[in-house]
Amino acid sequence: MIQSMPFRAALLSIVIAVLLFGIWEASSDVPEKSTEMTEYEMLMGGADQEARVPPPSDVLVHAWNELSDPFYDKGPNDKGIGIQLAYSLYRVLTGYVLAALIAIPVGFVVGMSPLMYNALNPFIQILRPISPLAWMPLALFIIQDSETSAIFVIFICSIWPMLINTAFGVANVREDWINVARTHELSSLRTAFLVILPAAAPTILTGMRISIGIAWLVIVAAEMLVGGTGIGYYVWNEWNNLDLNSVIFSILMIGCVGMLLDLALSSAQKLVEYNE
Amino acid sequence: MSNAFLEVSGLAKVYPTKEGNDFTVYDNVNFNLNKGEFVCIIGHSGCGKSTILNTLAGLDDPTAGAVVMNGKEVKGPSLERGVVFQNYSLLPWLSSLSNVEFGVKARWPDWSKNKVREHSTRFLSMVGLEHALQRKPSELSGGMRQRVSIARAFATQPELLLLDEPFGALDALTRGVIQEELVKIWSETQQTVFMITHDVDEAILLSDRIFVMSNGPNAAIAESVKVDIPRPRQRNTIFQQPGYYQLRNYLVDFLVNRSAEKPDNSSGKPKEVNPLSAITSSSAPATTIDNDRNAHPYAVNQ
C-alpha cells in the first residue's frame, strides 16, 4: 500500500504543497518594527506602508468565507464567487456550443471534400491566428451589446481547434472502413453517421478539449474588458479594491473550474476512444 | 453471350506515370465463374490480383473491359458481392457481434432487432466465436478477427464472395482451422467464392479451379487449372490423394519457371488445363504417387 505509485505521488504532492505554502507564509510575515512609529504612521492608524502579498492563511480564511456563501448578491459591485463563475460559465458554454454546432458540420464537409478543403483553407489559415480579443472592438461596434460580444469572442476562439480537428479526423478515416461502408451499400448519410463519425470521434473530441481550454483562458480577459459580471471582471474589480485576498482566491477558482471543464471533456473522450 | 454466373471480359488496368508513358498492370483479362464454384487466383506480387478482386467488388474502376454478373454489368459496390479484406477491416469501435450485425442490418434493413441478432450470432458460431460476441476487435487475435470478417461476409449471404488473401497474416495452425471453417460454410451456403492466395497448398485444398497469372506488367491470366481432387478434402490427408503432388508441382513449376512468359491469349480465354486428367481417367494412380513421393512437399517453394 505504502509502496504503491499513486500513494507515493499523493504524498509527494502534499509535501510540495506544504513546502510552497510554508515559504509563502514565512515570506509574508510582517517584520517587527524596530523604530517607533512616526507621527504620520500613527495618524494612518499604524498602517504598514509596504504592501505585501497576503499569506496563504489569510487567503484560506477568505476562501472559506467566500465559499460558505457563494451565491450572495449585494448589488452590482458585490456578488458571491458562485454567481461570478456562473456568469462566466454561461458565456463560455453558450459560445462554445454555438461554435461546436458550426465547426463540427463544417469540419465534416471540409474533411470529406478536398475541393471544400482547398477552398476554405486560406480563410481558416488567416482567421485562426487572430487573437480572439482583437475581435472585441469590432464585435462591440456591430453587436452593440457587451454580453453578446463576450459570447462572440468565445465563439470565435473555440471554433478553430474543433473545425481543424474534425476536418483532420474525417479526412483521415481509414480507406478500409470506407470500403466496408461501400460494399454494404450504405448511403452517404449512413456512412457519415455509422462509420466516419465514430471513426473520427476521438480526434473531434481532442479538438473540443483544446477549444474548451482556450475558451476558459479567453473568458477571463474578455470579461476584464467588458466588465459587469463574471470571474474576469471579479479579478479586476478586486484589484481595483486592492483586495489581494480575493484576487488570489479567484485565481485559484479559475484554475479549479478550468480543471473540471477539462476533466469533463477527457471523460467524454474516453467514451468514444477505440483501440485498433 | 454465355450464361456464366460471372463473366469478365477484356479487363485492363493502366496507371499513367509521371514520364507520360502508361503503366499497364494487366491487360485483356478474361474469365468466367460458374455458380457455386470456388476459384483461387495465384500469381506473383504486382500482377494485379488485388486490383482484379477490387474491380469485381466494384471498388475499383477498370481502364477497359467489363464485369458482368447475372447479366448485369458491375458498376459499383453491391451487397451481392461480399468482400473479406486482407487486413480484416473490422470497425474497431464495435464488438464482434455488432460488426456482423452491421452487415446484416445493411442487407435486411427491415429485420427486427432480435432477428438480426439471432442471424449474426448463428454465423459467428459457425466460425467458432460464440464465446467472443461482445469482445472488440482489439481484444481478439488475428485469426479471430479474420473469422469475424468471414462471418460478416457470409452472414450477408452475397451471391459472390471475394476474399483478398484472407489468411496471409495468420500462422499455419490457425490458417488450417479457418480454411476448414471456410469450406464448411461454403458447402452449406453454396455461394460462389473468388479468392486470392499466395499459397499453392491452400489453393489446392480449397478450389475447384485455380487461375494462374503471368507476371506484371501486362499480366494476364495464363491458365485455368482444374483441381480434379474429390471433396470433401481434408487438410491432413489431401496430400495422400492421387495426383496431389503432380498438381502441386505443376503449379509451382508455373510460378517458378513459366510465369514470366507471355501467355497465348489469342483465344480470349485462359487455357483450360487439367494436370490430373490422365490419373482420373484410366492410368494406374499408384505409380504416379510413387513418383511424386520423391518431391518433398515444401521443397519447391524456393
Side-chain angles (χ1 to χ4, degrees):
Chain A
M1 168 43 187
I2 289 171
Q3 296 301 317
S4 78
M5 184 67 127
F7 178 80
R8 277 157 55 195
L11 202 69
L12 193 57
S13 294
I14 292 169
V15 169
I16 292 171
V18 167
L19 216 64
L20 287 176
F21 281 118
I23 294 168
W24 179 6
E25 183 81 48
S27 65
S28 309
D29 276 348
V30 183
E32 285 287 316
K33 280 278 180 190
S34 50
T35 54
E36 280 207 13
M37 276 195 269
T38 61
E39 210 162 325
Y40 176 71
E41 280 173 339
M42 295 215 277
L43 269 173
M44 296 301 288
D48 185 8
Q49 287 305 293
E50 195 185 345
R52 284 175 185 281
V53 175
S57 49
D58 285 8
V59 176
L60 283 176
V61 169
H62 180 74
W64 178 254
N65 289 336
E66 285 284 343
L67 287 175
S68 52
D69 183 17
F71 295 108
Y72 74 87
D73 188 353
K74 295 178 188 159
N77 214 1
D78 192 9
K79 293 188 203 312
I81 186 82
I83 291 183
Q84 306 289 19
L85 283 170
Y87 270 113
S88 297
L89 276 172
Y90 154 72
R91 288 175 189 139
V92 163
L93 292 180
T94 310
Y96 178 79
V97 168
L98 285 174
L101 286 178
I102 291 180
I104 293 172
V106 172
F108 237 82
V109 173
V110 171
M112 284 178 90
S113 149
L115 174 74
M116 287 301 281
Y117 176 83
N118 287 316
L120 290 181
N121 197 34
F123 296 100
I124 296 174
Q125 293 310 327
I126 290 175
L127 293 175
R128 191 172 60 103
I130 298 172
S131 162
L133 291 173
W135 292 99
M136 190 59 103
L138 196 61
L140 285 169
F141 176 76
I142 294 172
I143 302 171
Q144 306 210 333
D145 176 64
S146 62
E147 175 80 24
T148 321
S149 300
I151 293 173
F152 171 77
V153 166
I154 295 303
F155 167 82
I156 204 80
C157 76
S158 43
I159 199 165
W160 307 116
M162 288 196 266
L163 180 63
I164 291 165
N165 268 272
T166 305
F168 180 80
V170 168
N172 286 286
V173 172
R174 288 219 344 231
E175 188 73 28
D176 299 329
W177 300 337
I178 306 286
N179 278 343
V180 168
R182 288 180 67 200
T183 53
H184 288 91
E185 290 188 58
L186 258 53
S187 65
S188 314
L189 202 66
R190 290 181 72 82
T191 305
F193 277 103
L194 293 179
V195 178
I196 297 175
L197 187 62
T203 324
I204 296 175
L205 258 294
T206 305
M208 293 179 74
R209 200 172 160 189
I210 297 170
S211 279
I212 198 79
I214 293 177
W216 190 244
L217 290 181
V218 167
I219 193 64
V220 174
E223 283 171 346
M224 283 178 178
L225 281 177
V226 298
T229 46
I231 191 72
Y233 163 76
Y234 180 81
V235 174
W236 202 251
N237 194 38
E238 295 305 327
W239 161 238
N240 286 336
N241 294 342
L242 281 179
D243 182 355
L244 282 175
N245 272 329
S246 292
V247 169
I248 295 169
F249 167 62
S250 50
I251 289 174
L252 292 175
M253 289 312 290
I254 292 171
C256 290
V257 173
M259 183 185 74
L260 290 177
L261 288 173
D262 188 64
L263 219 59
L265 264 293
S266 82
S267 33
Q269 201 172 14
K270 285 207 181 75
L271 288 180
V272 299
E273 247 165 22
Y274 56 83
N275 291 319
E276 278 187 45
Chain B
M1 185 82 188
S2 77
N3 50 5
F5 164 64
L6 181 110
E7 203 176 343
V8 174
S9 48
L11 211 60
K13 186 73 188 179
V14 180
Y15 289 105
T17 56
K18 276 179 192 154
E19 294 85 53
N21 41 350
D22 292 344
F23 180 79
T24 306
V25 188
Y26 53 81
D27 199 7
N28 199 23
V29 167
N30 301 286
F31 61 86
N32 289 342
L33 296 182
N34 301 320
K35 190 133 189 78
E37 207 177 13
F38 199 124
V39 173
C40 278
I41 185 163
I42 205 164
H44 290 277
S45 304
C47 67
K49 301 181 296 290
S50 287
T51 318
I52 291 180
L53 185 129
N54 283 338
T55 310
L56 295 192
L59 292 170
D60 200 57
D61 293 324
T63 313
V67 178
V68 177
M69 187 168 101
N70 278 335
K72 269 186 289 183
E73 188 174 356
V74 169
K75 280 287 183 203
S78 152
L79 279 161
E80 288 307 335
R81 292 180 299 280
V83 188
V84 175
F85 297 95
Q86 187 174 4
N87 48 13
Y88 327 129
S89 292
L90 298 173
L91 304 176
W93 54 90
L94 297 178
S95 67
S96 40
L97 179 61
S98 305
N99 262 292
V100 178
E101 285 183 340
F102 177 90
V104 175
K105 272 188 249 171
R107 174 72 162 172
W108 297 284
D110 44 351
W111 275 17
S112 73
K113 221 177 172 148
N114 282 337
K115 196 169 181 192
V116 168
R117 175 141 306 183
E118 185 261 333
H119 183 85
S120 311
T121 313
R122 190 158 61 84
F123 275 85
L124 277 166
S125 5
M126 272 188 186
V127 292
L129 282 183
E130 59 275 18
H131 61 282
L133 298 179
Q134 298 307 330
R135 277 156 77 181
K136 298 268 172 73
S138 57
E139 299 157 347
L140 300 173
S141 67
M144 289 161 94
R145 289 184 206 186
Q146 191 58 291
R147 286 169 170 168
V148 177
S149 178
I150 289 171
R152 180 175 68 187
F154 272 97
T156 56
Q157 300 184 335
E159 288 196 65
L160 173 64
L161 209 68
L162 302 159
L163 298 100
D164 187 353
E165 251 188 275
F167 312 128
L170 304 182
D171 64 275
L173 288 173
T174 316
R175 174 191 293 230
V177 175
I178 307 182
Q179 280 167 352
E180 266 168 21
E181 279 162 2
L182 177 63
V183 172
K184 202 183 85 199
I185 307 181
W186 168 72
S187 53
E188 280 169 24
T189 55
Q190 290 302 309
Q191 277 148 311
T192 313
V193 180
F194 182 80
M195 172 169 146
I196 296 178
T197 179
H198 274 122
D199 183 337
V200 172
D201 296 294
E202 179 173 275
I204 299 175
L205 177 70
L206 299 173
S207 331
D208 296 314
R209 284 192 291 155
I210 299 170
F211 291 162
V212 284
M213 284 193 80
S214 62
N215 292 351
N218 292 84
I221 295 181
E223 291 174 4
S224 155
V225 180
K226 189 171 166 62
V227 181
D228 212 348
I229 294 175
R231 291 182 193 272
R233 302 170 190 156
Q234 293 294 323
R235 186 162 43 102
N236 47 355
T237 54
I238 187 172
F239 59 87
Q240 296 166 344
Q241 290 280 335
Y244 177 80
Y245 285 120
Q246 198 177 346
L247 183 61
R248 191 177 191 285
N249 289 348
Y250 182 86
L251 291 167
V252 172
D253 174 61
F254 177 89
L255 291 173
V256 175
N257 298 321
R258 296 200 291 125
S259 59
E261 296 168 15
K262 286 292 137 218
D264 170 30
N265 254 354
S266 48
S267 66
K269 287 264 167 339
K271 197 167 67 174
E272 303 271 345
V273 187
N274 182 359
L276 305 187
S277 55
I279 302 168
T280 45
S281 56
S282 61
S283 73
T287 50
T288 325
I289 292 171
D290 277 349
N291 289 341
D292 285 336
R293 281 216 180 118
N294 299 329
H296 186 274
Y298 298 103
V300 267
N301 264 344
Q302 281 97 48

